[in-house]
Amino acid sequence: MNLQAHRHAMARYLPQRGRMVLLDALVSETSEAVTCQCTIDDDFIFLEGGAVGALATIEIAAQAAAVYVSIHAKTPVIGFLASCREARFDVESFAVGDILQVTATHVSGNERSGAFECVVRRGGAACATMHLILVDPGWSEHDAA
């Protein structure tokens, strides 16, 4: 399966479609966290001048948190990133070919929204950490259509 097919498969957990699906694999899941993979390729939507800025990890982490919510709510949930606090970026950018692993740990809330501690790693080394709050507006993907 090619990278686009993997991203298409990940869309079952996310409201995003097409190039806005940034994750290409669910690596692991527990009752408290998920770890997902994101591969930077030539078609990555945030690629600019051959690099992806570190700020893109906020959306990558938010998508991992959304995967957690979708798994535990047992349906894709349209949620909103309400807050990003305590963000730390230890690199300026990522290059084509970089493979990122993002772990989103649910620290409070319910099965449809809450607070997440997120860590993005490249080659096992943490390169971004942040605290995200995702909220459920109370309507489903079908209501949005």
Side-chain angles (χ1 to χ4, degrees):
M1 197 179 328
N2 68 28
L3 195 54
Q4 296 307 322
H6 283 285
R7 287 188 182 141
H8 181 73
M10 288 300 294
R12 74 175 182 244
Y13 300 112
L14 300 167
Q16 290 88 345
R17 294 293 177 256
R19 292 181 59 217
M20 272 310 299
V21 176
L22 306 180
L23 304 175
D24 45 77
L26 173 62
V27 176
S28 67
E29 66 174 284
T30 68
S31 62
E32 299 165 349
V34 295
T35 298
C36 297
Q37 179 175 292
C38 170
T39 303
I40 308 297
D41 66 350
D42 290 327
D43 193 40
F44 199 77
I45 196 161
F46 296 119
L47 186 67
E48 191 172 300
V52 173
L55 287 177
T57 59
I58 295 171
E59 178 62 23
I60 294 166
Q63 287 191 20
V67 168
Y68 174 93
V69 170
S70 291
I71 288 170
H72 292 276
K74 298 186 179 12
T75 185
V77 173
I78 293 179
F80 296 99
L81 177 60
S83 172
C84 175
R85 299 179 307 136
E86 302 174 23
R88 177 179 163 177
F89 306 101
D90 297 321
V91 300
E92 288 185 28
S93 63
F94 302 97
V96 171
D98 282 348
I99 298 173
L100 310 178
Q101 298 241 326
V102 56
T103 300
T105 303
H106 189 243
V107 294
S108 67
N110 61 38
E111 72 278 356
R112 294 180 65 91
S113 60
F116 292 84
E117 292 293 337
C118 301
V119 178
V120 180
R121 293 179 174 81
R122 177 178 56 188
C127 51
T129 58
M130 64 207 68
H131 181 92
L132 302 180
I133 297 176
L134 274 64
V135 296
D136 172 11
W139 41 270
S140 73
E141 183 174 344
H142 303 290
D143 295 334

